[in-house]
Amino acid sequence: MIRLTRAEQQQRTHERLLDAGRQVFLRHGFLAATVEEIAADAGYTRGAVYKHFGGKEGLWLAIIGADADGHLRGLREALALAATREEVIAALNPVDVADKDAAKWSAAAAEVLAATAQQPETATLVAAIQRRHDDEVAALLAEHSRRLGLEPALPLEQVVVMLGALGIGLALRQTVAPAADPAAILTHVLETVFPPEAT
């Protein structure tokens, strides 16, 4: 059996805690999730969560930061392959907002936003992650809109905020009053935002 270096052991612990945190937040939401359950699910004591992330809020920030980076990688690859308006729209609508995990994650995110509204330091960190993500998505859309000759109906910074809010809202709605076809709603909005070229 190969012995891990100290750095490798710490990285493994970090990743296990991230995975466990994601699962516990999905199971219980943010507010009901406990550091103890997260640590136990990962096979550690609560001290590991505090050592690696400083607590539940820090773990949440690490998860959403990693998710934002993963989303950007996937979007960058999909847009690089897009050759048409329809392929850009498909790249921007890859997630099934009717997916139960997406709905649960959106509900947990709403809890975090409500909870951190009273915690300016945490709210600032959450906002910084969102702003960096939004800026990078807008830059990607600008690059590929120019490349494909697309003329968005709104400024791209507004498009990114609107799509994020709509996606979260549709996913949240699925938990209490499911829409007939949320993916079709998102696609329709994207088709309006990226109208076909005038002939």
Side-chain angles (χ1 to χ4, degrees), residues 159-179:
V159 169
V160 172
V161 171
M162 179 190 66
L163 292 177
L166 181 59
I168 290 170
L170 286 170
L172 275 174
R173 183 186 168 104
Q174 291 306 110
T175 65
V176 291

Side-chain angles (χ1 to χ4, degrees), residues 80-156:
L81 296 172
T84 65
R85 166 186 173 261
E86 290 71 25
E87 289 173 351
V88 168
I89 289 170
L92 291 170
N93 191 8
V95 177
D96 180 2
V97 292
D99 176 80
K100 287 185 177 157
D101 281 353
K104 287 179 186 176
W105 193 255
S106 292
E111 288 180 358
V112 171
L113 292 176
T116 59
Q118 304 305 317
Q119 300 172 11
E121 284 183 25
T122 305
T124 298
L125 295 172
V126 171
I129 291 169
Q130 187 66 57
R131 206 168 16 258
R132 179 182 60 84
H133 176 266
D134 289 355
D135 289 348
E136 292 192 39
V137 172
L140 278 172
L141 288 177
E143 173 189 343
H144 293 287
S145 291
R146 280 191 303 272
R147 176 175 66 84
L148 297 171
L150 300 177
E151 294 288 339
L154 296 168
L156 287 172

Side-chain angles (χ1 to χ4, degrees), residues 51-66:
K51 178 181 177 187
H52 283 262
F53 303 103
K56 188 166 74 167
E57 290 82 4
L59 177 58
W60 175 267
L61 290 169
I63 291 170
I64 64 168

Side-chain angles (χ1 to χ4, degrees), residues 12-88:
R12 179 181 281 183
T13 301
H14 190 86
E15 289 170 6
R16 285 183 177 169
L17 289 167
L18 284 173
D19 290 342
R22 187 183 313 278
Q23 292 309 310
V24 173
F25 290 139
L26 280 172
R27 237 181 354 253
H28 301 301
F30 178 78
L31 296 176
T34 65
V35 169
E36 290 79 9
E37 183 175 1
I38 292 165
D41 276 20
Y44 301 103
T45 64
R46 62 181 284 168
V49 176
Y50 288 102
K51 178 181 177 187
H52 283 262
F53 303 103
K56 188 166 74 167
E57 290 82 4
L59 177 58
W60 175 267
L61 290 169
I63 291 170
I64 64 168
D67 285 356
D69 291 343
H71 176 256
L72 284 168
R73 275 192 306 276
L75 185 59
R76 194 172 286 116
E77 291 169 8
L79 288 174
L81 296 172
T84 65
R85 166 186 173 261
E86 290 71 25
E87 289 173 351
V88 168

